[in-house]
Structure formats: C-alpha cells, structure tokens
Amino acid sequence: MATPPPISNIIRRLRFDADEMTQQELADRIGMTRQTVAAIEQNKYSPSLEAAFRIAEVFEVEIGTVFQWKKTAE
C-alpha cells in the first residue's frame, strides 16, 4: 500500500463551511475534475502549487490554512 503524502488538508471542513459546497462545485471553480478534488481531500494525492493556491483562493484563506505539512521522522 502506498504511503500517503506528508500533506494534510481541511478542504472537507472548508467546503462544509461554504454552504456545503460539493466536490464538483469546487472542481469547477479551480478547473479540475471532481475525482482529483476527492483524491486531494482524502490525502491520496498532493496538489500542484498552483492548484493549492486556487483552492485557498476559492475559500478566501491563506494556503497554510488549507494545507499542513506533516514532518516525518528521519
């Protein structure tokens, strides 16, 4: 099984707080597919930097509010 990326996010919470925005609505606003948004939201895929900024812009928050880096033990 693949190791999840060391980046977590609060996209689901932000969508809920934004009048229960759907994954499809978010995908349409950032120019991605719903499947990609779902994979990012479930920490199965790390977004590009551009996509991360677009997501933050939709919710009008800083990118660091949406995404958090999990430092791994070395």
Side-chain angles (χ1 to χ4, degrees):
M1 182 175 210
T3 304
I7 298 172
S8 63
N9 67 75
I10 61 164
I11 295 172
R12 186 167 189 228
R13 164 58 59 191
L14 291 168
R15 286 191 308 101
F16 180 81
D17 291 344
D19 294 327
E20 299 184 21
M21 178 188 295
T22 66
Q23 289 177 339
Q24 186 63 58
E25 289 169 330
L26 177 57
D28 291 344
R29 292 184 66 180
I30 64 172
M32 301 183 99
T33 66
R34 186 204 60 77
Q35 292 85 352
T36 301
V37 168
I40 293 169
E41 189 173 297
Q42 296 167 12
N43 296 317
K44 294 180 179 177
Y45 173 75
S46 293
S48 68
L49 187 56
E50 180 181 355
F53 273 107
R54 286 181 183 194
I55 292 167
E57 183 177 54
V58 165
F59 296 112
E60 299 179 351
V61 297
E62 295 292 324
I63 194 169
T65 300
V66 182
F67 298 96
Q68 300 78 42
W69 175 263
K70 294 184 202 174
K71 185 174 179 179
T72 57
E74 295 179 18

